[in-house]
Amino acid sequence: MSAGNEQSRQWFEDLAHSGQVDLPSEKLGWLDDARQQARQAINTLPVPYRKQEEWRYTSIDGLLKQNFQPVNDPFTALQSVDLEDWLLPEMDCYRLVFANGRCVPHLSETSELPDGVRVGSLRAALTTDPDLLATWFGQTANHSQHLFTALNTVLINDGVFIHVDSNVKLDKPIEVLYLSLALEDAVVAHPRNLVVMEPGSEATLIERFVSTGQSVYFNNNLSEIILNESATLIHHRVQDESSQAYHLSNLFLSQQKQSRYRGTALALGGAWARTEYKVKFLDEEAECRLNGLYTVGEKQLTDFHLDIDHAKPHCASEENFRGILYGKGRAVFDGRILVAKDAQKSDAHLHNANLMLTRNAEVDTKPQLEIYADDVKCSHGTSVGQLEPEQIYYMRARGIETAMAQKMLCLGFADEIIDTIEIEPLRQHVHERLHNALDRVVSEQLQAEEVA
Amino acid sequence: MLSIKNLHVSIEDKPILNGLNLEIGTGEVHAIMGPNGSGKSTLSYVLSGREGYEVTEGQILYEGEDLLELETEERAHKGIFLAMQYPVELPGVNNMVFLKESLNAIRRARGEEELDSVKFMQLVKEKAKMVKLDEKLLKRSVNAGFSGGEKKRNEILQMALLEPKLALLDETDSGLDIDALRIVAEGVNALRSPERSVVLVTHYQRLLDYIQPDHVHVLSEGRIVRSGGKELAHELEEKGYSWLKEGAAA
Amino acid sequence: MTATPNTVDELIDRGYEHGFITDIESDTFPPGLNEDVIRALSAKKNEPEWMLEWRLKAYRHWLTLEQPSWAHLNYPPIDYQSISYYSAPKKAGDGPQSLDEVDPELIDTYNKLGIPLEEQMALAGVAVDAVFDSVSVATTFREKLSEAGVIFCSMSEAVQDYPELVRQYLGSVVPHTDNFFACMNAAVFSDGTFVYIPKGVRCPMELSTYFRINEANTGQFERTLVVAEEASYVSYLEGCTAPMRDENQLHAAVVELVAMDDAKIKYSTVQNWYPGNAEGKGGIYNFVTKRGDCRGERSHISWTQVETGSAITWKYPSCILRGDDSTGEFYSVAVARGRQQADTGTKMIHLGRNTKSTIVSKGISAGHGQNAYRGLVRMTPKAENARNHTQCDSLLIGDTSGAHTYPYIEVRNPTAKMEHEATTSKISEDQLFYCRQRGLTEEDAVSMIVNGFCKEVFNELPMEFAVEAQKLLNVTLEGAVG
């Protein structure tokens, strides 16, 4: 390992020591053990760099230049924030609000939860439901997958805890709003989430990441999601961080027999954003469908890693990701489907399409299949292209301006993903968000073309 | 020609045929009718030797020989032909090459001389004309991207080419419009001969308007519940299959 | 498969040599690699000083490299010091004296492939004094080629006779620093082929290493260089469908192609080296670096490969699409059965405007075979209107094999367009039943389906080669089902 890498390790070690963990609980052995292991892993795990296959196209140099500070009291700064600005109109849901990684109970809405449903902060659950946590914590996540997950584990301070009892079907979605407050320091948060769906339960979870200003911060998020037999989770994530922000999400999903996961992953903001999904089928007939959309513009990097492990036969997975790139935007898509030996009748499809609007954009895509069983239906496809001049011409011939035509075509491209969101206020919100972004992009691009 | 005695067949331990008896003489045309799930397709597949169909009891004699002892292709060599309800697609395998391979394999087994390309071409073109199959389809991959009617005509073309002794037509009429049905029926009729037996497996009576059977059998719950002449088909058409069940219950 | 396995292994253990070259008295270096060995090798070949220096430079660089480990391959470490780096052909008489002494199963395979008797002898290493037809044919062809101004000779001859050309182009596509195996090849390459097609010349015939059958033992560290000057055309065939015996387990060849303006190079390979026995012992390790440089505008390089042999195949024939409007193609059929492992694919580097590339890869996995496609498509910022289409299909036969796809796609230009599709299928029970119902045997059915699967690639081979390749595939896959 080079000297440069050892300096990089120092960054992780410093960060691991800087956090002041002040959990309210009694001593919990399992938590201490997990932390202890993670602390050791920070000394031994390889530092991510570009010669490693999983970091081939994504450099963490920008991150390493920052000197992130922990925030232990986000509540003072929160006083000047009007939550209404960040809520979606007509959104009827249960809600948890986090400010810089800490749950804010007085802004949250969980009073009318049905019986058998726990939605709250992980911090509180350490006191109220230690047994449930002890049962499920760390069941799906490898705390030491890489240095960032180890860091998250060492610095567990708060996060989302959701537990839905057997056969309980939630009437309304649960929304988790991660608010990053614009502070003077570059701050870091390590939200740690645990979602447990007991057999036959059903729920919809929305996670939104937003910020109150264009400041520098780092969200190092880790979620464990457990779907027991025949459980269903619909899960929409909207990453709309500040344009200066660093965002890393590690999602670990384990799926039992006949469980269903349907997810949407939208990546719109952030300067450097990476999301890793690790899905493992633990029993037969489980199903995972994941749709994704990313837009990357000026100096943004968005990176998606999907790892779908068909460890058991008769499971189905389908991932469909689309990206719109402009400015100096960079996108990385690294999808991998693994079909284990004897995982017959696996049905696995991976698709990634990219639309490049401008000259300096860059896309690196790597859809992989690794198949050790023969009676399977597997495919992957990838494409990179731009708007078809014939289409634009046709629309213009019908009286539509170029900018509008471009925008319509982009939205049409994105709609295939967005339309899978069945919650009207959320779909509406994403639509508008994209509309505005494209307005800016298209007009800037046209101006640039005129100058040229 | 074909003698089926007390045939019991299961698929994955689930009994489908339960003591079926059937005698088919040389040159006869038999229609086997029955509602969905009565075991019609199973009978066709067992006769042609498809795997996964377990004969638990009974026997099938074909020209005096134990048919169940024969491999699928041996049965084909000996003149059993199954026109399938859903002909399989073979991407990348040229139809012409496939037909030639098939024909020559059977000719070899019969001790006949293999056809060379020229003779084969002549033959295929003649037969294709008979079943009104677009010659272009001969150059494409087998059944890949064919319409339903094209696939069925391709099946009849193969039958015409291979000249089987016992032709089994499994729901050949399904998914065909009236013109396609007529073409297919004409093809079958042209192949009727005193040496060739035909078994038509069908849900509906309409195919029998075009191909007149000598005998009609009704299959229900895995056995033949009634046999008769072609008038039986009309009776069925009028009264429906439920009539039979009532009859059986009474 | 009925042919080859154990018995060929035994033949190899017996250690006889290719025996059909009688006129070269030579010796074999003791195993080991160091600068002295390279100096001795170079001296043996009477090479000029610059050639030796080039080899030494490569060797010194090689010492700094580590063997790559990123491929989906599993094999024991190779001891590079246990290999002899110079071993010219032995005298006749060491090998079997007639085909009667050769393993009947091998002969059976040859007969199935329809290989004429005298070629069988050559392939099986039987000592014969008679001059082969092919060799005399080669001599005639050589005269015809030199009339057209085409140079077609061994690399050793080229170093002596055309030093300027060799010096200009050698290592210009695959530099000695390129990768571990290419670097090693640069240091120790034994021999190979040199082809030069002058401006405007359409090479009057397919060139084939087959015509150079008398120059044996170039296989281990072979080096091939093909230069096609402006508006010239050449089609080059390499390899042989017959399972050629070779006692060298490690093969690390390098092929460099240079195409100038409007030049067209078509390079076809059929690789059928010994795959090892049923336990995977004794097969050839084939680590090959092949790269074509479309240096000129509108130049065209097309790679077609049928890879059925070797225990390990590590091979990525690539195109650097430098010239505007240049095109690159890669058509591949790779079979991994028994314990074979193949990690093969291509790289298409789009540098010029309007460059186009096509990739068609067909992987067949059977038995315990592991077949991986690994490919890179890179569209650089200057590659205006670049186009790529990639089709990557895997066919699995049996539930113990593996099929893997690792595409890397890097796009830096908004006017570029690329599409990649990959599918996985197996030979279905339905398809087999259907064919058998029509009177075909299971094996005929499998071979028809496999040939259908590979058709797009076979179509790219020169006609007689395509027929052979098809036969080869059938023989290779015999008994793979059931």
Side-chain angles (χ1 to χ4, degrees):
Chain A
M1 193 143 302
S2 70
N5 271 315
E6 281 316 301
Q7 277 169 19
S8 307
R9 182 184 303 285
Q10 196 59 49
W11 184 88
F12 286 92
E13 285 175 357
D14 290 349
L15 213 51
H17 286 112
S18 69
Q20 292 171 20
V21 177
D22 60 340
L23 293 177
S25 65
E26 303 295 306
K27 260 191 107 50
L28 294 171
W30 53 268
L31 187 56
D32 291 340
D33 289 350
R35 281 213 166 113
Q36 190 53 39
Q37 280 168 20
R39 206 168 282 123
Q40 278 167 10
I42 286 179
N43 298 325
T44 53
L45 281 171
V47 177
Y49 75 120
R50 299 199 44 186
K51 288 220 166 143
Q52 288 161 13
E53 195 57 36
E54 58 272 37
W55 296 93
R56 183 185 181 96
Y57 295 113
T58 306
S59 161
I60 62 165
D61 289 355
L63 204 58
L64 297 182
K65 281 185 197 134
Q66 299 291 342
N67 182 19
F68 292 115
Q69 302 297 321
V71 201
N72 285 316
D73 170 29
F75 304 109
T76 320
L78 194 61
Q79 286 165 1
S80 59
V81 171
D82 182 0
L83 188 70
E84 282 302 315
D85 294 348
W86 307 102
L87 298 183
L88 304 182
E90 291 171 43
M91 181 76 171
D92 185 17
C93 60
Y94 306 106
R95 180 175 297 118
L96 285 180
V97 175
F98 283 74
N100 293 93
R102 285 289 299 275
C103 187
V104 190
H106 73 273
L107 294 180
S108 298
E109 278 279 349
T110 56
S111 50
E112 285 167 34
L113 279 169
D115 287 348
V117 181
R118 291 169 176 83
V119 175
S121 86
L122 185 85
R123 175 179 272 267
L126 286 172
T127 315
T128 57
D129 291 297
D131 295 344
L132 273 179
L133 284 180
T135 307
W136 296 108
F137 181 88
Q139 292 301 302
T140 65
N142 177 356
H143 304 299
S144 311
Q145 178 82 20
H146 49 56
L147 279 176
F148 291 105
T149 54
L151 202 56
N152 177 289
T153 305
V154 172
L155 297 171
I156 290 175
N157 200 19
D158 207 346
V160 178
F161 175 64
I162 295 173
H163 182 274
V164 185
D165 272 353
S166 298
N167 299 317
V168 174
K169 297 176 172 57
L170 250 83
D171 53 336
K172 292 193 284 191
I174 303 162
E175 184 185 58
V176 181
L177 187 68
Y178 301 90
L179 207 52
S180 288
L181 306 173
L183 302 171
E184 264 175 43
D185 283 337
V187 295
V188 59
H190 304 277
R192 174 65 169 233
N193 305 334
L194 179 61
V195 178
V196 181
M197 302 294 293
E198 294 288 3
S201 63
E202 285 182 24
T204 299
L205 172 63
I206 301 164
E207 291 183 275
R208 292 199 293 129
F209 295 84
V210 295
S211 70
T212 60
Q214 298 304 312
S215 63
V216 178
Y217 60 88
F218 177 29
N219 266 331
N220 180 24
N221 182 84
L222 193 160
S223 298
E224 290 184 76
I225 299 171
I226 293 138
L227 300 189
N228 284 302
E229 191 170 330
S230 304
T232 299
L233 180 68
I234 297 171
H235 188 190
H236 304 295
R237 304 183 96 235
V238 184
Q239 182 273 99
D240 201 358
E241 305 271 27
S242 108
S243 62
Q244 304 280 313
Y246 295 86
H247 174 102
L248 181 67
S249 281
N250 278 281
L251 291 102
F252 295 84
L253 255 93
S254 66
Q255 292 195 241
Q256 291 289 353
K257 198 177 177 76
Q258 290 174 341
S259 61
R260 279 177 61 218
Y261 177 84
R262 257 181 44 216
T264 323
L266 306 175
L268 309 171
W272 182 100
R274 175 170 166 124
T275 304
E276 300 185 16
Y277 279 89
K278 299 203 163 45
V279 180
K280 185 158 189 174
F281 295 125
L282 298 175
D283 206 338
E284 302 187 4
E285 293 171 53
E287 186 186 301
C288 171
R289 299 201 188 280
L290 187 57
N291 290 306
L293 176 71
Y294 45 90
T295 60
V296 280
E298 212 49 56
K299 290 178 188 160
Q300 278 184 294
L301 167 84
T302 287
D303 179 357
F304 273 102
H305 282 246
L306 313 180
D307 213 323
I308 316 293
D309 185 354
H310 281 256
K312 297 285 172 182
H314 292 281
C315 293
S317 70
E318 190 171 341
E319 296 77 40
N320 189 7
F321 276 67
R322 298 196 149 197
I324 300 176
L325 296 96
Y326 52 91
K328 282 188 177 159
R330 282 199 56 208
V332 178
F333 178 83
D334 186 340
R336 176 167 164 267
I337 291 173
L338 173 68
V339 177
K341 189 172 173 329
D342 300 327
Q344 300 293 11
K345 305 282 179 197
S346 291
D347 197 333
H349 304 277
L350 181 64
H351 200 264
N352 174 233
N354 296 279
L355 198 52
M356 276 176 107
L357 301 180
T358 57
R359 178 141 299 273
N360 295 309
E362 219 178 286
V363 59
D364 298 299
T365 164
K366 232 178 89 184
Q368 308 164 73
L369 296 174
E370 223 170 280
I371 297 166
Y372 297 92
D374 65 335
D375 193 5
V376 297
K377 281 200 187 106
C378 296
S379 69
H380 71 216
T382 265
S383 64
V384 180
Q386 59 283 320
L387 298 174
E388 293 293 338
E390 298 81 23
Q391 293 173 330
I392 292 172
Y393 163 74
Y394 182 81
M395 294 169 86
R396 289 175 68 193
R398 299 287 177 272
I400 301 165
E401 280 177 36
T402 308
M404 188 59 176
Q406 289 181 342
K407 209 172 87 177
M408 283 168 70
L409 289 170
C410 288
L411 285 171
F413 177 79
D415 273 348
E416 184 166 319
I417 304 299
I418 298 173
D419 285 350
T420 62
I421 301 172
E422 68 292 331
I423 302 164
E424 178 65 23
L426 182 64
R427 190 175 62 232
Q428 204 58 39
H429 166 72
V430 174
H431 245 288
E432 275 167 28
R433 173 69 179 75
L434 201 61
H435 238 273
N436 296 338
L438 287 171
D439 269 342
R440 226 172 31 244
V441 175
V442 169
S443 63
E444 275 167 18
Q445 196 197 348
L446 285 178
Q447 275 169 17
E449 275 171 18
E450 275 162 25
V451 172
Chain B
M1 163 147 316
L2 184 73
S3 167
I4 303 176
K5 292 200 176 79
N6 189 31
L7 186 67
H8 288 72
V9 176
S10 298
I11 304 172
E12 290 179 348
D13 296 324
K14 190 177 164 226
I16 307 289
L17 297 182
N18 306 300
L20 183 140
N21 293 294
L22 184 63
E23 294 289 331
I24 292 171
T26 308
E28 294 174 356
V29 175
H30 290 240
I32 295 177
M33 304 184 68
N36 290 330
S38 57
K40 299 190 303 282
S41 288
T42 298
L43 179 61
S44 317
Y45 283 136
V46 169
L47 289 173
S48 59
R50 187 179 182 136
E51 275 162 20
Y53 294 81
E54 199 197 345
V55 177
T56 52
E57 215 181 313
Q59 67 165 187
I60 306 175
L61 293 178
Y62 172 67
E63 296 192 309
E65 198 174 358
D66 186 353
L67 187 69
L68 297 173
E69 286 299 306
L70 299 176
E71 293 293 330
T72 305
E73 61 265 45
E74 288 177 310
R75 298 184 200 195
H77 295 161
K78 288 179 190 289
I80 294 182
F81 178 91
L82 169 63
M84 291 185 200
Q85 186 178 2
Y86 302 111
V88 178
E89 300 191 0
L90 303 175
V93 177
N94 179 281
N95 208 7
M96 205 67 128
V97 173
F98 174 72
L99 294 174
K100 186 169 173 229
E101 282 294 324
S102 171
L103 178 63
N104 280 335
I106 287 170
R107 290 181 69 96
R108 272 200 303 275
R110 287 187 202 146
E112 292 168 4
E113 210 181 296
E114 292 185 33
L115 291 188
D116 63 28
S117 297
V118 178
K119 282 194 187 130
F120 174 75
M121 282 293 283
Q122 282 170 347
L123 186 66
V124 146
K125 284 191 173 172
E126 178 196 320
K127 302 285 185 185
K129 214 175 208 171
M130 189 182 104
V131 299
K132 299 195 171 59
L133 186 83
D134 189 341
E135 274 189 35
K136 276 185 207 139
L137 295 179
L138 293 173
K139 293 178 187 133
R140 301 230 315 248
S141 294
V142 183
N143 295 330
F146 285 25
S147 72
E150 288 168 345
K151 283 183 183 170
K152 294 291 167 71
R153 266 178 279 168
N154 199 26
E155 293 290 283
I156 303 303
L157 167 70
Q158 292 176 30
M159 182 169 106
L161 209 57
L162 303 177
E163 303 183 322
K165 287 187 195 155
L166 174 62
L168 311 162
L169 283 77
D170 188 7
E171 305 271 15
T172 294
D173 48 336
S174 73
L176 292 187
D177 62 30
I178 207 76
D179 292 331
L181 184 65
R182 192 175 296 131
I183 291 164
V184 166
E186 276 167 18
V188 175
N189 283 328
L191 290 165
R192 281 180 87 152
S193 91
E195 289 83 44
R196 180 170 298 130
S197 307
V198 178
V199 178
L200 304 164
V201 175
T202 180
H203 185 90
Y204 300 106
Q205 182 266 339
R206 69 170 189 168
L207 178 67
L208 308 183
D209 289 338
Y210 297 93
I211 308 170
Q212 300 274 318
D214 301 315
H215 303 276
V216 175
H217 310 277
V218 180
L219 190 61
S220 177
E221 292 175 347
R223 68 179 85 176
I224 287 174
V225 292
R226 192 173 289 230
S227 297
K230 58 180 178 260
E231 69 287 350
L232 179 58
H234 292 287
E235 211 173 338
L236 263 179
E237 183 77 359
E238 272 173 42
K239 300 182 178 169
Y241 286 112
S242 52
W243 157 69
L244 275 172
K245 286 201 177 135
E246 285 160 22
Chain C
M1 183 161 132
T2 52
T4 60
N6 297 312
T7 41
V8 173
D9 200 33
E10 284 159 19
L11 280 179
I12 282 174
D13 288 344
R14 232 191 287 161
Y16 68 78
E17 302 284 327
H18 287 278
F20 49 88
I21 290 183
T22 53
D23 58 346
I24 306 167
E25 272 295 337
S26 59
D27 45 3
T28 298
F29 285 4
L33 185 55
N34 54 46
E35 290 202 8
D36 289 342
V37 166
I38 291 168
R39 281 175 207 283
L41 169 68
S42 188
K44 197 104 197 148
K45 300 170 86 67
N46 197 24
E47 287 176 352
E49 187 62 22
W50 59 265
M51 192 73 244
L52 172 64
E53 282 310 315
W54 193 70
R55 285 179 183 275
L56 287 173
K57 207 162 63 184
Y59 173 70
R60 287 166 198 150
H61 184 73
W62 183 71
L63 292 175
T64 69
L65 298 178
E66 275 176 41
Q67 190 173 314
S69 59
W70 41 260
H72 193 277
L73 299 172
N74 204 343
Y75 54 94
I78 298 167
D79 180 2
Y80 296 96
Q81 293 303 337
S82 72
I83 297 168
S84 166
Y85 291 86
Y86 183 79
S87 104
K90 292 279 168 56
K91 272 189 275 184
D94 292 352
Q97 298 303 310
S98 76
L99 279 180
D100 298 340
E101 293 176 31
V102 175
D103 176 53
E105 281 194 47
L106 190 60
I107 301 295
D108 192 39
T109 307
Y110 290 152
N111 287 334
K112 280 182 192 154
L113 289 167
I115 293 168
L117 200 65
E118 55 283 11
E119 281 176 45
Q120 291 190 11
M121 295 206 256
L123 293 163
V126 175
V128 277
D129 290 327
V131 177
F132 297 129
D133 282 353
S134 51
V135 176
S136 53
V137 165
T139 318
T140 331
F141 279 178
R142 230 162 134 162
E143 280 164 20
K144 213 164 136 194
L145 287 172
S146 67
E147 269 171 44
V150 172
I151 302 170
F152 178 45
C153 64
S154 74
M155 190 60 86
S156 306
E157 285 175 85
V159 170
Q160 304 300 329
D161 300 346
Y162 312 99
E164 308 78 25
L165 281 176
V166 173
R167 213 172 164 178
Q168 186 182 348
Y169 291 106
L170 190 75
S172 73
V173 185
V174 181
H176 70 270
T177 50
D178 193 80
N179 69 66
F180 183 85
F181 296 107
C183 184
M184 176 176 187
N185 176 288
V188 304
F189 76 88
S190 31
D191 207 335
T193 310
F194 178 71
V195 178
Y196 179 83
I197 317 289
K199 192 170 162 178
V201 171
R202 191 183 164 88
C203 185
M205 69 199 61
E206 311 260 2
L207 298 183
S208 169
T209 41
Y210 180 76
F211 295 136
R212 290 187 32 250
I213 201 162
N214 60 332
E215 288 161 33
N217 254 23
T218 55
Q220 191 171 14
F221 302 109
E222 192 166 354
R223 184 137 197 138
T224 302
L225 174 59
V226 179
V227 179
E229 289 284 8
E230 233 176 283
S232 66
Y233 168 83
V234 62
S235 167
Y236 186 91
L237 313 180
E238 165 193 68
C240 196
T241 52
M244 179 134 41
R245 240 190 36 72
D246 191 316
E247 69 279 11
N248 298 312
Q249 192 172 32
L250 175 67
H251 281 229
V254 170
V255 176
E256 296 178 278
L257 311 181
V258 180
M260 308 309 278
D261 287 359
D262 298 296
K264 200 173 168 184
I265 303 177
K266 195 170 163 54
Y267 196 104
S268 313
T269 305
V270 172
Q271 184 267 112
N272 189 24
W273 297 107
Y274 181 54
N277 68 10
E279 286 77 46
K281 292 257 161 59
I284 300 291
Y285 294 177
N286 198 22
F287 297 95
V288 188
T289 306
K290 291 185 168 175
R291 193 171 305 150
D293 190 350
C294 283
R295 234 167 252 189
E297 293 181 9
R298 295 167 303 280
S299 56
H300 175 99
I301 288 178
S302 174
W303 298 100
T304 306
Q305 62 174 26
V306 177
E307 302 279 328
T308 60
S310 295
I312 303 267
T313 301
W314 179 100
K315 183 181 172 191
Y316 316 92
S318 308
C319 296
I320 299 169
L321 301 166
R322 201 183 299 275
D324 290 349
D325 300 291
S326 61
T327 49
E329 293 171 344
F330 174 74
Y331 297 93
S332 169
V333 167
V335 179
R337 57 155 300 161
R339 298 277 170 179
Q340 280 178 287
Q341 306 173 58
D343 194 300
T344 183
T346 183
K347 290 182 193 174
M348 293 291 174
I349 313 292
H350 291 255
L351 300 172
R353 303 164 68 90
N354 302 318
T355 48
K356 285 184 182 57
S357 62
T358 305
I359 299 172
V360 178
S361 163
K362 305 280 181 176
I364 300 166
S365 313
H368 290 90
Q370 295 293 328
N371 209 331
Y373 166 82
R374 188 181 302 277
L376 169 70
V377 175
R378 178 180 290 155
M379 311 279 199
T380 61
K382 286 185 180 153
E384 290 294 303
N385 294 314
R387 296 285 179 267
N388 165 267
H389 184 84
T390 302
Q391 178 69 45
C392 210
D393 298 320
S394 304
L395 186 69
L396 288 138
I397 305 176
D399 60 4
T400 51
S401 58
H404 319 301
T405 324
Y406 306 102
Y408 293 75
I409 295 139
E410 305 174 358
V411 183
R412 307 272 180 281
N413 186 302
T415 61
K417 241 188 212 176
M418 72 80 42
E419 280 176 345
H420 171 106
E421 288 169 64
T423 64
T424 301
S425 57
K426 66 168 202 160
I427 295 183
S428 75
E429 297 299 322
D430 283 350
Q431 287 176 322
L432 285 181
F433 168 70
Y434 187 75
C435 291
R436 291 176 65 198
Q437 210 295 310
R438 295 298 183 261
L440 304 180
T441 65
E442 191 158 85
E443 286 193 345
D444 286 347
V446 169
S447 96
M448 274 178 81
I449 291 167
V450 166
N451 279 318
F453 176 75
C454 300
K455 205 170 65 180
E456 275 171 278
V457 175
F458 288 159
N459 284 348
E460 294 300 316
L461 288 168
M463 237 255 284
E464 62 279 24
F465 229 40
V467 174
E468 281 184 42
Q470 227 174 80
K471 268 194 232 160
L472 169 62
L473 206 61
N474 295 347
V475 173
T476 306
L477 289 171
E478 257 180 32
V481 176

